[in-house]
Amino acid sequence: MATLSEIAHQLFADENLGILLKELSAADGLTGGEQRNVALTMEDYAKNKKYTPEFVRKLSEATSRSYHAWIEARRLNDFRFFEKSLDELIRLKREETQVLGFEQHPYDALLNEFEKGATVAWLDTLFEELQPPLKALLSTVMQRSQPDDDFLHQHFDKDTQWRFGLDMLKRIGYDFEAGRQDISEHPFTTSFNAGDVRVTTRIDENDFTSMTWSCLHEGGHALYEQGLPAAQYGLPFGEYCSLGIHESQSRLWENCIGRDRSFIAYNIPLIRQYFPQLNQVDPQQLFAAVNKVKPSLIRTEADELTYHFHVMIRYTLEKKLIEGSMEAKDIPAFWNESYRQLLGVTVPDDKRGCLQDIHWSHGSFGYFPTYSLGSLYAAQFFEGMCRQNPGLRDQVAAGDYTFVHEWLQTNVYQYGRAYTSSELCNKITGAPLQQRYFMQYLTAKYKAVYHFD
């Protein structure tokens, strides 16, 4: 992997490529789209030139070591087996911020890799605005009687869940002629081009929600990749806009659609067909159960409300690691105390604590904020969809996702990287990203579950 990374870097740092790009940028007769493709590629080329082949190799080797150390640490349920390799990776990521450059906070350099233009100053303000209404809503729902979700924690056969997951992916439009699904330690989507987009899931035989909504989540990512313009393959217009927009696609399918009453009403006959133990569960019971709010340990299985506290903890922690005010050895204590303060839960061990996410093991510092950004973008996009098509939920209740696919293809997929996330959001909804759309969406859903005014 290190050798391939180094070779790829050298090819994309070649002086002849730089000369070609300069010639193209000055050429007459290019369309607006072609000019934008050249300009974006010039940006990528200039950034790539900042790295030395030696640093690329060193970072890739450290990432490989870190990933395998993480796997072993999870097996042994002991952060200490991950600490040394993670510490090495953190030091390299700090070095990378100097390579890339930044104006205010070193973490800005890494944020920009996943969400172009994102800064600590902007995210601090966004999270400071989001946290109070989230806490207020959490306080309200926790005072209400909680829906019964015991029926979601019966025994659900692994093979049956697997077949059900494949069926769900097909029904939302995932093209198995251009992809496949497999099992992994942590669900993810990977894409080689629009004709080969692969998803993974994991199965818990005692939790119906784990695999089901994992498939919808990764399916949303995959539909985006399969919808990118194939004719633009290899060019910026053939690539996704940002990780925040990518995450908006997974959260839209997983939550805005997949946890909506209309989706559940249509799919409950299919669910009963695969899982007869749920025959006595009606649509309202299932809707309430899969939207139950309960502070928990695992981010990927958190409800839509408390999920963002998980993200905020990781965001704060990463800032401290990259600025140097915290070291790898300090992570477990900070993590455990943050979970106690923000979510009121006690972390019992490292596997269900600071070892749960794969991201640090492959060097993805700056990634976590995009999870919250994705939920906010998804809610704002979904509001735009419903405003344009007031009958959308009725269509979903009939198992018809035609409008959803067409809307996403028209407004998101076709543009690739033509716009930044902020520009795309303005273009689609007529407004910049705002937390109020998410809070309106979330409050309406929890009023239907918890019956409060």
Side-chain angles (χ1 to χ4, degrees), residues 73-132:
R74 275 180 60 83
R75 187 182 71 82
L76 298 170
N77 198 3
D78 192 336
F79 178 79
R80 290 173 298 176
F81 289 87
F82 183 41
E83 183 184 312
K84 182 180 178 181
S85 60
L86 179 59
D87 184 70
E88 177 190 16
L89 199 50
I90 290 168
R91 294 182 189 284
L92 285 171
K93 298 307 284 189
R94 289 173 183 166
E95 186 179 338
E96 187 177 13
T97 67
Q98 301 301 317
V99 170
L100 292 169
F102 56 90
E103 292 184 5
Q104 294 181 317
H105 196 287
Y107 192 48
D108 292 349
L110 303 182
L111 288 171
N112 195 62
E113 292 295 282
F114 300 103
E115 193 70 15
K116 190 174 180 180
T119 64
V120 165
W122 177 61
L123 285 170
D124 281 351
T125 300
L126 189 69
F127 284 140
E128 284 166 9
E129 290 176 351
L130 183 61
Q131 195 173 117

Side-chain angles (χ1 to χ4, degrees), residues 296-307:
S296 60
L297 294 165
I298 307 300
R299 175 188 61 83
T300 56
E301 295 168 9
D303 58 81
E304 290 183 77
L305 199 167
T306 61
Y307 182 87

Side-chain angles (χ1 to χ4, degrees), residues 49-335:
K49 290 284 285 184
K50 294 179 178 181
Y51 294 87
T52 64
E54 293 74 23
F55 182 80
V56 171
R57 169 174 280 277
K58 187 164 58 172
L59 184 59
S60 183
E61 288 175 342
T63 301
S64 292
R65 285 192 295 271
S66 180
Y67 172 75
H68 290 290
W70 174 73
I71 292 289
E72 181 68 2
R74 275 180 60 83
R75 187 182 71 82
L76 298 170
N77 198 3
D78 192 336
F79 178 79
R80 290 173 298 176
F81 289 87
F82 183 41
E83 183 184 312
K84 182 180 178 181
S85 60
L86 179 59
D87 184 70
E88 177 190 16
L89 199 50
I90 290 168
R91 294 182 189 284
L92 285 171
K93 298 307 284 189
R94 289 173 183 166
E95 186 179 338
E96 187 177 13
T97 67
Q98 301 301 317
V99 170
L100 292 169
F102 56 90
E103 292 184 5
Q104 294 181 317
H105 196 287
Y107 192 48
D108 292 349
L110 303 182
L111 288 171
N112 195 62
E113 292 295 282
F114 300 103
E115 193 70 15
K116 190 174 180 180
T119 64
V120 165
W122 177 61
L123 285 170
D124 281 351
T125 300
L126 189 69
F127 284 140
E128 284 166 9
E129 290 176 351
L130 183 61
Q131 195 173 117
L134 280 178
K135 284 184 173 179
L137 184 56
L138 178 61
S139 175
T140 298
V141 301
M142 294 309 292
Q143 292 174 39
R144 310 294 294 176
S145 60
Q146 294 297 312
D148 174 29
D149 66 345
D150 288 346
F151 58 84
L152 297 175
H153 300 282
Q154 306 174 61
H155 178 79
F156 297 94
D157 177 68
K158 181 178 180 180
D159 292 336
T160 307
Q161 284 199 62
W162 174 256
R163 293 194 300 274
F164 175 68
L166 295 177
D167 200 344
M168 291 292 289
L169 283 169
K170 289 176 185 174
R171 286 167 183 262
I172 67 169
Y174 176 72
D175 182 3
F176 276 93
E177 292 299 310
R180 55 178 287 132
Q181 178 171 260
D182 291 279
I183 296 289
S184 68
E185 182 77 8
H186 188 106
F188 67 91
T189 300
T190 188
S191 173
F192 301 95
N193 55 61
D196 188 354
V197 182
R198 309 180 188 198
V199 296
T200 70
T201 191
R202 60 185 174 197
I203 297 174
D204 182 343
E205 289 195 302
N206 298 307
D207 184 354
F208 174 71
T209 63
S210 180
M211 186 224 62
T212 303
W213 277 270
S214 166
C215 287
L216 291 172
H217 181 99
E218 301 306 332
H221 281 305
L223 289 171
Y224 186 12
E225 293 285 346
Q226 290 184 339
L228 291 170
Q232 297 285 338
Y233 173 66
L235 296 169
F237 278 26
E239 299 170 353
Y240 60 85
C241 174
S242 72
L243 262 297
I245 297 299
H246 223 311
E247 195 61 25
S248 77
Q249 302 307 292
S250 59
R251 300 297 278 180
L252 189 146
W253 281 100
E254 177 192 3
N255 295 327
C256 300
I257 295 174
R259 282 190 165 90
D260 192 77
R261 264 195 292 209
S262 56
F263 182 89
I264 288 169
Y266 175 76
N267 283 286
I268 201 160
L270 179 71
I271 291 169
R272 290 169 177 163
Q273 180 183 323
Y274 277 94
F275 306 104
Q277 60 267 53
L278 297 178
N279 278 346
Q280 302 307 310
V281 177
D282 65 42
Q284 176 61 28
Q285 286 177 301
L286 184 57
F287 166 69
V290 302
N291 285 293
K292 181 177 180 178
V293 175
K294 183 179 180 181
S296 60
L297 294 165
I298 307 300
R299 175 188 61 83
T300 56
E301 295 168 9
D303 58 81
E304 290 183 77
L305 199 167
T306 61
Y307 182 87
H308 300 281
F309 296 122
H310 292 261
V311 175
M312 291 173 193
I313 289 168
R314 288 154 177 77
Y315 167 66
T316 303
L317 205 159
E318 285 191 1
K319 280 194 302 182
K320 291 178 176 294
L321 290 170
I322 298 304
E323 71 188 14
S325 63
M326 182 184 290
E327 302 297 338
K329 63 181 176 59
D330 305 318
I331 290 174
F334 180 89
W335 182 287

